[in-house]
């Protein structure tokens, strides 16, 4: 059967990454009857699953799923699978794309869960340069689960999001991708293009800001609920400022976007007159504990792969983002890293020097016809 003819339960999946989201996703997909391979670059982490390839789920979803293959060999992991679900942190998207490229087969679909900001553009460009032009690259606007791994072979799913937007490059493949995966995940819905999913990146608001503004407690390892306790009224006000800057980018790019507060209502059924109140009323966040150190993806992923590209795109559009930029500055001072140098920028994503129309053209097709380039509007 050709890749393009495979539908629904005949699909085979590979989940890339055995972290919180990866274990939850691989466990769920295998539990409901799909053939699932699991890849993790660090072999030591998956040895227990190689001995017993069963993932146990608790929380909103309960039960167990048995994996088809557990490996640290990327060629074995993606061989003959239809959909590759990438759940590793966004700073690993470039390297995993390079690692997969020699072994990708025509018609395979890569879905970044999530892409953060610019993930699909980055991966598509890498694969195009390596001659992999018959691969569809898609990105989800966020991870579908609020989940935590509880052991090397178990995960707790606090809640599954009600809706998650998804877009593909090329955009004409978005509906095809959705038809394939909606049997497992009806929550995925169509976005206009990967610019829309990239700007509607709510992790950029909920992850690095609360982490850095609670860095003292986190560094001392003091237990607290990350969202419920970590987002106080004053931190909530600061996050609202960041969110206003994100929405301004969306408006200028003619992208449909919701405020973070409205997104909580749409995604989790949470209500409130402020972002602080909305977070406090989000049952999915109850029990989600703060990390016990600062060497975490909320800084090393969300700053270079979410905030840096948003700040950079805003500057291309002619305005500054003082709240977003202040979090980048704090992250750089605390870590000693130059995230603006390391991270995704408008230039690296191919967006610099393009009109808004051409930015969407790039997001839809993966390329822009140079003769049609215009001045930035």
């Amino acid at each position: 059967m050709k890749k393009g003819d495979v539908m629904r339960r005949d699909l085979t999946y590979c989940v890339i990454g055995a972290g919180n989201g990866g274990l939850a996703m691989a466990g769920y997909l295998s539990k409901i009857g799909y053939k699932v391979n699991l890849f993790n670059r660090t072999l030591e982490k998956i040895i227990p699953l190689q001995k017993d390839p069963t993932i146990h789920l608790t929380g909103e979803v309960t039960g167990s799923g048995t994996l088809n293959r557990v490996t640290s060999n990327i060629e074995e992991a993606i061989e003959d699978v239809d959909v590759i679900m990438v759940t590793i942190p966004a700073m690993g998207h470039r390297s995993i794309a390079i690692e997969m490229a020699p072994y990708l087969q025509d018609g395979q679909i890569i879905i970044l869960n999530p892409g953060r900001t610019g993930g699909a553009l980055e991966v598509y460009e890498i694969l195009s340069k390596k001659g992999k032009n018959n691969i569809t690259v898609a990105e989800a606007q966020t991870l579908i689960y609020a989940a935590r791994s509880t052991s090397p072979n178990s995960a707790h799913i606090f809640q599954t999001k009600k809706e998650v937007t998804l877009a593909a490059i090329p955009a004409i493949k978005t509906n095809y991708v959705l038809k394939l995966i909606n049997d497992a995940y009806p929550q995925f819905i169509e976005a206009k293009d990967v610019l829309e999913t990239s700007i509607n990146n709510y992790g950029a608001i909920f992850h690095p800001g609360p982490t850095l503004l609670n860095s003292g407690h986190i560094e001392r390892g003091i237990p607290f609920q990350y969202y419920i306790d970590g987002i106080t009224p004053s931190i909530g006000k600061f996050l609202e400022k960041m969110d206003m800057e994100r929405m301004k980018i969306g408006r200028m790019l003619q992208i449909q976007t919701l405020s973070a507060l409205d997104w909580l209502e749409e995604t989790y059924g949470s209500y409130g007159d402020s972002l602080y109140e909305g977070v406090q009323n989000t049952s999915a966040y109850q029990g989600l504990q703060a990390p016990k150190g600062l060497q975490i993806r909320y800084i090393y992923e969300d700053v270079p792969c979410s905030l840096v590209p948003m700040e950079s795109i805003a500057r291309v559009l002619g305005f500054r983002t003082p709240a977003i930029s202040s979090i980048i500055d704090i992250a750089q001072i605390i870590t000693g890293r130059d995230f603006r140098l390391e991270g995704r920028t408008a230039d690296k994503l191919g967006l610099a020097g393009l009109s808004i129309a051409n930015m969407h053209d790039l997001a839809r097709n993966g390329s822009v016809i140079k003769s049609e380039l215009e001045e930035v509007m």
Side-chain angles (χ1 to χ4, degrees):
M1 183 178 289
K2 295 180 181 178
K3 291 271 183 278
D5 297 332
V6 180
M7 293 295 288
R8 298 201 169 186
R9 295 299 167 99
D10 294 327
L11 282 175
T12 56
Y13 283 90
C14 174
V15 175
I16 303 291
N20 298 322
L23 283 180
M25 185 169 283
Y28 172 76
L29 288 169
S30 56
K31 175 186 178 296
I32 64 172
Y34 286 98
K35 184 177 177 181
V36 181
N37 296 343
L38 178 65
F39 168 85
N40 197 71
R41 185 171 292 170
T42 305
L43 175 61
E44 290 75 14
K45 187 171 184 177
I46 55 173
I47 287 176
L49 275 171
Q50 288 185 325
K51 293 178 179 178
D52 177 10
T54 302
I55 296 175
H56 305 281
L57 300 175
T58 57
E60 183 187 70
V61 178
T62 60
S64 300
T66 300
L67 302 172
N68 174 65
R69 180 180 295 168
V70 181
T71 181
S72 61
N73 182 307
I74 194 66
E75 182 179 8
E76 292 179 356
I78 66 174
E79 182 181 13
D80 293 329
V81 303
D82 303 299
V83 180
I84 301 167
M85 296 292 235
V86 177
T87 67
I88 62 172
M91 63 273 198
H93 287 167
R94 173 174 290 275
S95 61
I96 199 66
I98 293 170
E99 192 172 349
M100 286 192 295
Y103 311 111
L104 288 168
Q105 301 162 271
D106 285 355
Q108 287 183 311
I109 296 166
I110 298 171
I111 302 177
L112 306 178
N113 294 273
R116 295 305 176 203
T117 301
L121 286 170
E122 181 179 59
V123 170
Y124 190 87
E125 180 187 18
I126 290 167
L127 298 183
S128 295
K129 287 181 177 178
K130 293 186 176 295
K132 298 292 180 175
N133 298 314
N134 294 316
I135 305 297
T136 300
V137 180
E139 69 176 24
Q141 161 253 326
T142 187
L143 182 66
I144 196 164
Y145 299 118
R148 290 289 186 268
S149 59
T150 50
S151 78
N153 63 354
S154 63
H156 185 86
I157 297 176
F158 291 88
Q159 193 166 337
T160 305
K161 295 178 175 69
K162 293 180 180 179
E163 286 187 351
V164 175
T165 57
L166 178 145
I169 306 176
I172 57 171
K173 290 291 188 73
T174 298
N175 281 324
Y176 171 70
V177 173
L178 289 173
K179 286 179 183 178
L180 290 181
I181 66 173
N182 274 166
D183 177 61
Y185 290 116
Q187 299 90 347
F188 283 116
I189 61 173
E190 181 185 8
K192 177 181 177 181
D193 57 36
V194 297
L195 274 185
E196 182 177 316
T197 51
S198 286
I199 300 305
N200 286 326
N201 171 8
Y202 296 97
I205 308 304
F206 288 114
H207 294 167
T211 298
L212 291 163
L213 296 174
N214 285 284
S215 59
H217 292 305
I218 291 173
E219 199 164 31
R220 287 193 296 272
I222 297 174
F224 67 93
Q225 294 182 90
Y226 178 78
Y227 296 99
I228 303 299
D229 300 325
I231 298 180
T232 61
S234 59
I235 290 176
K237 288 179 182 178
F238 184 86
L239 300 184
E240 288 174 345
K241 294 291 187 183
M242 293 179 66
D243 197 44
M244 288 172 63
E245 294 170 357
R246 180 194 62 81
M247 286 192 290
K248 184 175 180 179
I249 298 170
R251 287 194 300 272
M252 294 195 71
L253 289 176
Q254 300 166 16
I255 288 170
Q256 184 176 354
T257 185
L258 292 173
S259 70
L261 177 59
D262 289 339
W263 177 78
L264 286 175
E265 179 181 342
E266 184 174 281
T267 304
Y268 293 118
S270 309
Y271 295 91
D273 293 329
S274 66
L275 190 56
Y276 165 74
E277 290 182 3
V279 168
Q280 299 305 304
N281 293 326
T282 301
S283 60
Y285 292 159
Q286 295 285 342
L288 278 170
Q289 295 297 302
K292 291 181 170 58
L294 294 175
Q295 298 296 317
I296 55 171
R297 62 192 293 172
Y298 285 4
I299 296 175
Y300 291 90
E301 173 188 36
D302 286 287
V303 175
C305 299
S306 296
L307 297 186
V308 166
M310 286 188 183
E311 175 193 65
S312 180
I313 292 169
R315 290 186 176 182
V316 168
L317 296 172
F319 68 96
R320 295 189 177 273
T321 53
I324 286 174
S325 298
S326 68
I327 292 296
I328 299 172
D329 291 338
I330 293 170
Q332 295 195 148
I333 292 168
I334 286 177
T335 63
R337 298 273 288 271
D338 188 341
F339 290 122
R340 290 185 175 93
L341 179 63
E342 298 174 19
R344 296 171 180 164
T345 62
D347 185 57
K348 289 179 182 177
L349 296 174
L351 298 171
L354 299 184
S355 68
I356 291 170
N358 285 143
M359 287 183 186
H360 284 286
D361 188 34
L362 178 66
R364 286 192 297 269
N365 306 311
S367 62
V368 176
I369 300 173
K370 292 186 176 180
S371 62
E372 295 180 354
L373 295 182
E374 305 166 3
E375 296 291 332
V376 176
M377 296 173 66

